[in-house]
Amino acid sequence: MTVTLIRNADWIVAWNEATGRHDYLANADLAFEGDRIVFLGRGYRGTAEREIDGRGRMVLPGFVNIHSHPASEPFNKGLMEERGSLRLGMSSLYEFMLLMRPDDEAKRAAMLFAVGELLKSGVTTFTDYSIARAGWLEDLAGTGIRACVAPSYRSARWFTPNGHRVEYEWNEAAGREAMAAALEMIDAARRHVCGRLFGMLAPAQIDTCTEELLLASIEAAKARNAPVQIHASQSVVEFREMVARHGKTPIEWLSDIGFLYEGAIVAHCIFVDEHSWIRWPMRGDLERMASSKASVAHCPNVFVRRGILLENFGKYRKLGINIGLGTDTFPHNFVEEMRWATVLCKVAASNVEATDLAEVFHAATVGGAKALMRDDIGRLAVGCKADLSLVDLRHPSLQPLYDPLKSFVFSGLERGITDVFVDGRQVVRDGEVTTIDMAAAAEAMNRGQRDALARAPAGDHAHRPTERIFPPTLPIRP
Ligand SMILES: [Zn+2]
């Protein structure tokens, strides 16, 4: 196996096992052999087949994205940014999200494009929470990213007949069948020859899965030592629905049926009992999350576009809740989510010290890794996976350069990232993805969006024309 050496990097964000935090390490070397880091420190004396000049560069641990829908979300660009239902708690889930139904070829292109964006923003591991399709694993393997496949399934689908009431159509047998197929997909991912695929159980949403399906899911997850992730506490409608069904908050119900434990991930855990939009008089949800050691997948961007905030990231963390970040929506720019998470926490708390970038950076790396039950990613240390990115510290967007991570997240975003390695293999070079034809993917995605848009009015409850369902920013002059 060949050794690659990054020599004399200005800064390495290095993992400190003793403190359980990342540190800045100045003027240091990092070497990796095959897929593993073999040296991190000053004065590497071994040999190396490839040497990268680290001067003017920062070495970052690869980011860990624990929640994304790359095969569907890219199609919502230009349509959904300002769309939500005023009569359904501002959510876009029930009235708008179902309208875009691209074909499998377009979905494949969207997934490739989204993974390309993720790699360019320094993500080396991501969770693909999608409906399974043929060729999925091969497509993921070809991108070079490390992927946790989360083939989703459920016992019911939701719909709104009028834009102000949500109904559910149940089919328990179909849910069980889809879960069986998901298990085969997860097992195939774990066996895949590329060695970069693993899997999680993904019962889609708390309000679309029966208790039986959820219990079967955690049993299968525990048998495989795999994580399980569900969307819950993600809308006012869902909160009220769970209260109507069980007399309990969504988190309370998950806790009572035994779904919350170390290894379970709740996306998005926003509408808990103490959320200001809910006015629930009892308390206990955050304590349930903390004591169970379940994790939260926090994806601020998709919610804040509709005025919805998690209240608040810093409070969750202080209570001991593990949090990982995700890109639930487009753009698949993980650094942007980090900036949103930091700033929005301060907005939600009206307190500049409610969190800080160090805490959000922790969530973006080891917090996500912990949620995915991995201790070999999201950190730079000897023995860990060679999943890392290089940032060009001379990039104009980062100047003046006093604190490299602050410059990176608050000013430069992903623009300074030049090179990304996954499993020791280079997948981004000079800012370009080497494994994906981004232009071809964009073309297929555009075609898929146009086709799906043409079908949208037929699926709309009021059969509105496309330009009324998704009004353009400005009127188009005739
Ligand atoms: Zn989601």
Side-chain angles (χ1 to χ4, degrees):
M1 277 187 288
T2 61
V3 173
T4 300
L5 170 66
I6 302 163
R7 192 188 289 283
N8 208 15
D10 283 11
W11 295 105
I12 297 179
V13 175
W15 180 243
N16 185 330
E17 190 64 45
T19 60
R21 297 185 55 136
H22 298 288
D23 296 329
Y24 276 140
L25 181 61
N27 305 314
D29 307 331
L30 185 150
F32 53 89
E33 182 173 13
D35 64 334
R36 299 279 170 179
I37 295 169
V38 293
F39 182 87
L40 201 172
R42 298 201 177 95
Y44 177 76
R45 301 200 196 291
T47 56
E49 281 73 22
R50 181 181 177 195
E51 187 166 321
I52 298 169
D53 185 1
R55 283 174 301 176
R57 295 175 185 263
M58 169 167 64
V59 188
L60 289 179
F63 298 131
V64 179
N65 178 346
I66 66 169
H67 190 93
S68 70
H69 309 290
S72 55
E73 274 294 330
F75 297 102
N76 297 330
K77 188 181 282 184
L79 310 176
M80 223 69 89
E81 289 89 340
E82 302 189 272
R83 264 327 214 173
S85 303
L86 298 182
R87 291 166 184 80
L88 294 170
M90 305 296 160
S91 180
S92 58
L93 289 170
Y94 313 102
E95 191 176 3
F96 299 108
M97 295 289 281
L98 303 171
L99 298 178
M100 291 298 284
R101 296 176 181 278
D103 56 65
D104 273 5
E105 191 192 326
K107 283 184 186 172
R108 175 178 184 269
M111 186 278 271
L112 294 175
F113 190 86
V115 170
E117 285 191 311
L118 290 175
L119 289 171
K120 285 168 82 163
S121 71
V123 171
T124 53
T125 297
F126 91 117
T127 302
D128 187 344
Y129 204 112
S130 297
I131 294 167
R133 56 180 174 75
W136 187 18
L137 299 183
E138 291 312 314
D139 291 339
L140 283 172
T143 66
I145 203 166
R146 190 181 305 288
C148 180
V149 296
S152 71
Y153 53 89
R154 56 189 185 175
S155 329
R157 70 171 195 99
W158 61 44
F159 63 98
T160 176
N162 49 25
H164 52 84
R165 188 178 67 240
V166 173
E167 297 182 5
Y168 297 82
E169 192 177 88
W170 293 87
N171 186 340
E172 174 72 358
R176 291 306 289 247
E177 210 173 291
M179 181 182 155
L183 286 174
E184 282 178 27
M185 186 67 82
I186 290 164
D187 292 340
R190 289 151 67 101
R191 287 194 307 266
H192 196 277
V193 64
C194 76
R196 283 177 283 97
L197 305 184
F198 58 118
M200 72 163 61
L201 278 287
Q205 299 100 3
I206 185 174
D207 47 338
T208 60
C209 292
T210 60
E211 182 175 338
E212 292 69 31
L213 194 71
L214 295 185
L215 295 180
S217 298
I218 55 177
E219 191 185 324
K222 286 175 178 172
R224 286 165 177 76
N225 203 27
V228 57
Q229 182 169 187
I230 191 166
H231 292 84
S233 295
Q234 63 168 340
S235 79
V236 175
V237 168
E238 173 224 291
F239 188 100
R240 301 291 177 215
E241 175 68 25
M242 297 310 287
V243 170
R245 286 185 203 170
H246 307 291
K248 296 174 180 176
T249 73
I251 296 299
E252 185 179 10
W253 185 70
L254 284 180
S255 174
D256 285 356
I257 68 168
F259 193 91
L260 299 184
Y261 65 99
E262 195 168 6
I265 303 170
V266 179
H268 301 274
C269 206
I270 290 173
F271 292 105
V272 294
D273 52 25
E274 64 186 75
H275 195 277
S276 60
W277 290 15
I278 297 296
R279 297 287 171 210
W280 190 249
M282 284 78 83
R283 292 290 178 268
D285 279 352
L286 294 186
E287 288 70 25
R288 289 179 184 102
M289 286 298 297
S291 63
S292 69
K293 297 192 166 65
S295 296
V296 170
H298 181 37
C299 312
N301 194 358
V302 72
F303 288 96
V304 75
R305 286 172 185 166
R306 297 171 179 87
I308 298 167
L309 288 171
L310 181 129
E311 299 173 343
N312 66 65
F313 177 90
K315 177 170 186 183
Y316 284 41
R317 288 292 300 129
K318 274 173 195 67
L319 288 168
I321 300 170
N322 183 55
I323 303 185
L325 301 186
T327 49
D328 200 26
T329 187
F330 63 88
H332 287 79
N333 185 334
F334 198 72
V335 192
E336 204 174 298
E337 294 286 348
M338 289 165 69
R339 185 200 275 178
W340 281 121
T342 311
V343 173
L344 292 171
C345 171
K346 298 168 199 264
V347 172
S350 301
N351 180 353
V352 65
E353 295 188 357
T355 190
D356 56 29
L357 180 55
E359 192 163 52
V360 170
F361 191 86
H362 187 93
T365 51
V366 291
K370 186 177 179 189
L372 298 185
M373 305 170 71
R374 310 253 330 207
D375 58 9
D376 59 344
I377 56 173
R379 72 207 71 197
L380 299 179
V382 170
C384 291
K385 288 286 189 184
D387 290 7
L388 52 93
S389 346
L390 298 179
V391 178
D392 173 13
L393 293 177
R394 293 163 184 152
H395 193 280
S397 65
L398 305 177
Q399 312 311 316
L401 190 83
Y402 173 73
D403 182 330
L405 279 181
K406 279 200 178 62
S407 273
F408 175 68
V409 174
F410 289 106
S411 295
L413 295 172
E414 83 295 352
R415 282 171 287 196
I417 295 179
T418 53
D419 303 274
V420 179
F421 295 82
V422 181
D423 240 15
R425 177 184 171 215
Q426 187 156 12
V427 290
V428 174
R429 188 186 297 272
D430 300 328
E432 296 301 328
V433 186
T434 59
T435 51
I436 299 166
D437 185 341
M438 295 292 279
E443 196 181 316
M445 204 165 57
N446 268 303
R447 196 269 307 155
Q449 190 189 48
R450 280 193 300 273
D451 291 354
L453 267 177
R455 295 189 292 267
D460 181 50
H461 61 80
H463 300 300
R464 292 168 288 188
T466 308
E467 59 279 12
R468 276 188 54 217
I469 304 173
F470 302 117
T473 303
L474 302 176
I476 298 170
R477 202 180 286 188

